[in-house]
Amino acid sequence: MEKQTQCTRKTKQSERPVEPLPGPASDSPSTILTLIERVALDPHADVEKLDRMMAMYERLKAKEAELAYNAAKGRILKKLAGVKIVKNRPVLSDIDNGKQRGTVEAFKYAPLEEIDKHLRPLLAEEQMDLSYSDEPWDGGGILIRGRLKHLPGGHFEDSFMPAPLDTTGGKSNVQAVGSTNSFLRRYVACNIFNIVVVGDDDDGTGGTIDEAQAKTIVELIKKAKVGPKFLKYMRAQSVEEAASLEAAVATIAARDYRKAVSTLEEQIAKAEAGHAHLS
């Protein structure tokens, strides 16, 4: 009888239902991690269920890191909105048009160290890092990658910008690589943080076009083969007044950049259509 009682007692113990794990109070990574630890310590734990919980934990951690990144970047953008970064370094251009010979200021730009001076303290305050890497680009140019990373959570975003080597002004190959690298880093930083660099004499009107925009318009002018009327139409200085085409183009208002590009592209399209008709 005693043996039967013991047997019955064992049977009742074995048939007692296993208490389920309490459900998570929230979907926070810390709560999921606590459940994972409990399941991992259970010798009868379902491996597939553990894998699914680990995948959920990784997704939640990634989302948490992304939200922290966005919040930190948002605070930096808010502070940068009150910062005025000025074009303070001149780019010189050699001229020899028969009437005038020498070196003139073509335009100004904000060097990388000027941008970094305002940006670096804000990055450090929010535990963010902006790093750059480069690789060869088609045609002998450079591709720069800027990576903005939030160090606590590890979330990051990349911004890319390519350009051909800047061989203007008789630069050597090494100088051309260095100039292009610095140029692209400036624009990657501005792209990531929506930085608008202003002229030192714009009086709040938006200033003139920047270095990259000036280069684009000069190339389009040469392709469109337009004359002085275009500069007059854009209310820019003439080549005679500015002493060079590059300097004249640099006086086009920033607000008129799209207008200038669309006008030139329209002229190019008309010329190409006329050429196709004649051929």
Side-chain angles (χ1 to χ4, degrees):
M1 183 70 179
E2 184 178 351
K3 289 184 179 180
Q4 185 177 359
T5 303
Q6 290 177 350
C7 182
T8 305
R9 191 174 298 164
K10 287 182 180 179
T11 303
K12 287 182 179 179
Q13 287 176 349
S14 62
E15 290 178 352
R16 183 182 299 169
V18 178
E19 294 182 7
L21 291 172
S26 68
D27 58 355
S28 67
S30 59
T31 303
I32 300 298
L33 183 59
T34 300
L35 289 176
I36 290 173
E37 291 173 348
R38 292 183 62 182
V39 173
L41 293 173
D42 185 354
H44 304 293
D46 187 336
V47 176
E48 290 186 3
K49 181 182 292 185
L50 185 60
D51 288 341
R52 290 195 299 270
M53 293 178 71
M54 284 296 298
M56 180 187 298
Y57 172 74
E58 293 298 332
R59 288 196 301 271
L60 289 173
K61 284 290 290 182
K63 187 63 178 178
E64 186 179 66
E66 182 183 0
L67 291 174
Y69 169 95
N70 290 336
K73 183 179 179 181
R75 289 189 291 269
I76 291 176
L77 290 173
K78 186 176 181 179
K79 292 174 182 177
L80 280 174
V83 176
K84 184 177 182 180
I85 301 178
V86 178
K87 302 175 186 177
N88 59 6
R89 181 168 297 179
V91 173
L92 303 180
S93 176
D94 294 328
I95 60 165
D96 186 1
N97 55 18
K99 297 180 181 180
Q100 191 175 2
R101 187 175 184 177
T103 303
V104 297
E105 180 182 303
F107 51 84
K108 288 183 178 180
Y109 70 97
L112 183 59
E113 54 266 30
E114 178 68 18
I115 297 171
D116 192 72
K117 179 179 71 176
H118 298 282
L119 183 58
R120 190 62 51 182
L122 301 180
L123 291 173
E125 186 179 335
E126 293 294 345
Q127 294 183 283
M128 300 194 86
D129 175 66
L130 177 58
S131 60
Y132 304 93
S133 62
D134 61 82
E135 60 184 73
W137 186 53
D138 295 343
I142 296 176
L143 175 69
I144 287 289
R145 182 197 69 189
R147 171 166 292 183
L148 180 64
K149 185 175 183 179
H150 191 220
L151 300 177
H155 185 80
F156 65 86
E157 288 183 350
D158 289 341
S159 179
F160 299 88
M161 183 171 285
L165 293 183
D166 176 20
T167 57
T168 60
K171 294 183 181 70
S172 66
N173 289 338
V174 174
Q175 290 171 327
V177 170
S179 175
T180 306
N181 193 301
S182 177
F183 171 84
L184 290 175
R185 288 186 182 204
R186 296 200 318 267
Y187 280 93
V188 164
C190 290
N191 283 347
I192 291 175
F193 290 101
N194 301 320
I195 295 173
V196 178
V197 181
V198 299
D200 53 0
D201 58 351
D202 63 12
D203 295 325
T205 62
T208 55
I209 58 176
D210 60 32
E211 182 182 358
Q213 293 171 333
K215 286 183 177 181
T216 298
I217 292 179
V218 168
E219 291 174 1
L220 290 174
I221 286 175
K222 293 177 179 178
K223 191 173 181 180
K225 297 179 180 179
V226 295
K229 288 185 178 180
F230 170 75
L231 292 172
K232 186 176 181 180
Y233 172 69
M234 296 308 304
R235 299 178 183 177
Q237 291 184 10
S238 65
V239 173
E240 290 75 18
E241 291 172 327
S244 71
L245 175 60
E246 289 77 10
V249 168
T251 64
I252 294 175
R255 62 177 177 271
D256 293 332
Y257 173 69
R258 285 295 166 196
K259 177 182 176 182
V261 171
S262 61
T263 300
L264 291 169
E265 289 178 341
E266 183 179 349
Q267 292 298 317
I268 293 170
K270 287 181 179 179
E272 291 177 347
H275 178 73
H277 178 71
L278 291 175
S279 58

